[in-house]
Amino acid sequence: MSLQVEKLEKNMAKLTIEAPAEEFDKAIKKAFDKNKGRFSIPGFRKGKAPLAMVEKMYGLEMLYEEAANIVMDATYGDAIDESGLDIVSRPEVDIVQIGKGQNFIYTATVAVKPEVTLGEYKGLEVEKAKAEVTDEDVDNELKRIQNQNARLITVEDRPVKDGDETVIDFEGFVDGKPFEGGTAQDYDLRIGSHAFIDTFEEQLIGKNIGEECEVNVTFPEAYHAKEVAGKPAMFKVTVKEIKERELPELNDEFAEDVSDFETLDEYKTDIRAKLLETRQRQAATENENRVVEKAVANASMDIPEPMLEAQIQTMVNDSARRMQSQGMSLSQYMQFTGMTVDQLKNQARPQAERSIRTRLVLEAVAKAENLQVSEEKLNEEIENMAKAYGMDAAQARERMGEAGLEQMKEDLAVQEAVDFLVAEAKLV
């Protein structure tokens, strides 16, 4: 195999890879051996005709594609190693020369990890995120817990009011006709939740149990069901049950019921302490983000488009997996939102670019400051990962392999760079 490397603009490169004719001829033979059962030639049982006869009857061109793949699989990895390039995209392959008895030549156009020019990154001055907890914060958290512990009391002597939990039957009509998904029985609806469109919930206020009423609304223009989007609709609604939330009184007894404390004051002190701990973690994360963002803004680099496209695709794939775990496919999500794949990708583009820029800058800082990951730190990380997956450290190491360990070292070095930037920064 021979290799030529041509550097292109915008951190792209073209590898021209040439394999000897005998290697391609061997690949033709391999492709034939794999597919010979497809050939029927008079005088031979199916799959028993020799390559020379198949060549005479059909030609070898039908085997070229598979033979080319065999040679490229055997040579591309070696070409990457020999090139010394840090390649960050799938290759765009073009066949330059192909044929029996000829050297097989192809090109692979790839994106190369861009060089980063660091700007100012030490001693960066950023506004310090504050970690404060006010009396109002404590009261709001207490109210949230109070609401979580509310009892639902059935009421029959008054009409619906805001905040009630109701059970309703409804049937919807658009242009005087029922529509798909517009009918339900025994539907639980909290008034004021804004779970329904437009003013649907508000129009039930004042209605009594057993009373049938008409609710008139207009579907949003961007509603997922296109057949009713933007159209006025009328719902026949019957209120079947009304329940109100009865909140427990905030006193010492409440504190004993919902916590390990005997008095409300002790419980509020604990709430404040936990809120402060959470706010401090959030502030530390925010300080990290502000410092890193400033270092990234001060740096410059030219991200090749294929690298960006690959990151966007990774993000779309990750989103699809999350949706799948929640019981929704990507195609269903697109149908529900009316978005196309291109729109999803455009939506992900700014975040993808930020992610790439941040990673590259942190890697550059780690390199510039010669930040090394100790063996102790690496072992600690492997131990943590092993515990998370219920295995011992040796098993975890073996499963990760050299590539996995190298990736872990890189990730730890990036975190070392974050810690370095924050330690050097001036938080004011």
Side-chain angles (χ1 to χ4, degrees), residues 131-308:
E132 298 176 340
V133 177
T134 65
D135 290 343
E136 184 181 2
D137 294 331
V138 175
D139 290 340
N140 288 338
E141 178 64 10
L142 199 57
K143 286 175 185 175
R144 185 187 68 80
I145 298 167
Q146 183 187 32
N147 272 289
Q148 281 183 339
N149 289 274
R151 292 192 304 159
L152 288 177
I153 307 298
T154 301
V155 295
E156 298 178 346
D157 57 349
R158 66 163 176 79
V160 175
K161 68 178 183 180
D162 192 27
D164 281 345
E165 302 281 349
T166 65
V167 178
I168 62 173
D169 292 345
F170 62 84
E171 185 178 13
F173 300 85
V174 170
D175 298 329
K177 298 177 182 179
F179 61 92
E180 186 178 352
T183 301
Q185 281 81 42
D186 297 327
Y187 190 91
D188 294 320
L189 177 64
R190 180 168 66 84
I191 307 303
S193 66
H194 303 294
F196 272 31
I197 61 168
D198 205 9
T199 58
F200 187 102
E201 294 167 27
E202 290 89 332
Q203 292 180 59
L204 296 183
I205 294 174
K207 303 299 185 289
N208 291 292
I209 293 175
E211 180 180 349
E212 184 181 285
C213 62
E214 290 188 2
V215 172
N216 293 286
V217 295
T218 300
F219 283 96
E221 291 289 345
Y223 195 68
H224 64 88
K226 294 181 180 179
E227 63 273 13
V228 298
K231 294 184 178 180
M234 185 276 286
F235 287 85
K236 291 181 180 179
V237 183
T238 301
V239 177
K240 300 176 73 174
E241 292 181 32
I242 303 173
K243 295 180 181 180
E244 66 179 356
R245 300 172 67 82
E246 182 179 77
L247 297 176
E249 188 178 348
L250 295 177
N251 53 25
D252 292 345
E253 185 179 344
F254 172 77
E256 281 191 281
D257 287 342
V258 300
S259 75
D260 296 328
F261 300 95
E262 295 181 357
T263 69
L264 186 61
D265 285 342
E266 289 176 321
Y267 186 37
K268 289 172 74 172
T269 299
D270 183 66
I271 288 174
R272 182 183 294 275
K274 287 178 178 174
L275 284 175
L276 182 59
E277 186 179 339
T278 299
R279 297 280 171 85
Q280 286 170 337
R281 285 197 303 269
Q282 292 171 340
T285 299
E286 182 59 29
N287 287 332
E288 282 187 3
N289 291 341
R290 290 177 183 180
V291 172
V292 170
E293 283 171 10
K294 196 161 188 178
V296 172
N298 290 343
S300 60
M301 70 206 75
D302 191 1
I303 299 174
E305 185 62 23
M307 185 181 189
L308 185 55

Side-chain angles (χ1 to χ4, degrees), residues 78-93:
D78 291 338
I80 290 176
D81 293 339
E82 187 178 329
S83 73
L85 299 175
D86 195 347
I87 294 171
V88 291
S89 73
R90 291 181 179 274
E92 184 179 317
V93 175

Side-chain angles (χ1 to χ4, degrees), residues 230-402:
K231 294 184 178 180
M234 185 276 286
F235 287 85
K236 291 181 180 179
V237 183
T238 301
V239 177
K240 300 176 73 174
E241 292 181 32
I242 303 173
K243 295 180 181 180
E244 66 179 356
R245 300 172 67 82
E246 182 179 77
L247 297 176
E249 188 178 348
L250 295 177
N251 53 25
D252 292 345
E253 185 179 344
F254 172 77
E256 281 191 281
D257 287 342
V258 300
S259 75
D260 296 328
F261 300 95
E262 295 181 357
T263 69
L264 186 61
D265 285 342
E266 289 176 321
Y267 186 37
K268 289 172 74 172
T269 299
D270 183 66
I271 288 174
R272 182 183 294 275
K274 287 178 178 174
L275 284 175
L276 182 59
E277 186 179 339
T278 299
R279 297 280 171 85
Q280 286 170 337
R281 285 197 303 269
Q282 292 171 340
T285 299
E286 182 59 29
N287 287 332
E288 282 187 3
N289 291 341
R290 290 177 183 180
V291 172
V292 170
E293 283 171 10
K294 196 161 188 178
V296 172
N298 290 343
S300 60
M301 70 206 75
D302 191 1
I303 299 174
E305 185 62 23
M307 185 181 189
L308 185 55
E309 287 290 339
Q311 180 66 22
I312 291 169
Q313 189 60 56
T314 296
M315 291 172 63
V316 171
N317 292 344
D318 288 344
S319 295
R321 279 192 290 271
R322 285 194 298 271
M323 291 174 200
Q324 195 70 45
S325 70
Q326 296 167 3
M328 179 183 288
S329 68
L330 182 61
S331 60
Q332 288 171 326
Y333 173 79
M334 290 191 294
Q335 184 178 6
F336 184 79
T337 60
M339 295 183 74
T340 65
V341 172
D342 285 342
Q343 286 172 325
L344 278 175
K345 288 184 174 181
N346 286 335
Q347 193 177 66
R349 178 173 283 265
Q351 185 181 343
E353 185 169 353
R354 282 195 301 273
S355 176
I356 292 172
R357 287 184 177 277
T358 299
R359 178 78 183 201
L360 290 176
V361 168
L362 291 174
E363 287 177 354
V365 169
K367 183 177 180 181
E369 296 297 327
N370 195 28
L371 300 176
Q372 302 292 325
V373 177
S374 68
E375 196 64 27
E376 182 182 355
K377 183 70 175 176
L378 180 63
N379 289 337
E380 182 184 336
E381 192 69 13
I382 293 170
E383 287 279 0
N384 291 337
M385 189 190 76
K387 286 177 184 176
Y389 286 96
M391 63 179 75
D392 61 40
Q395 285 177 307
R397 252 183 199 277
E398 187 177 347
R399 292 197 181 185
M400 289 172 68
E402 288 301 319

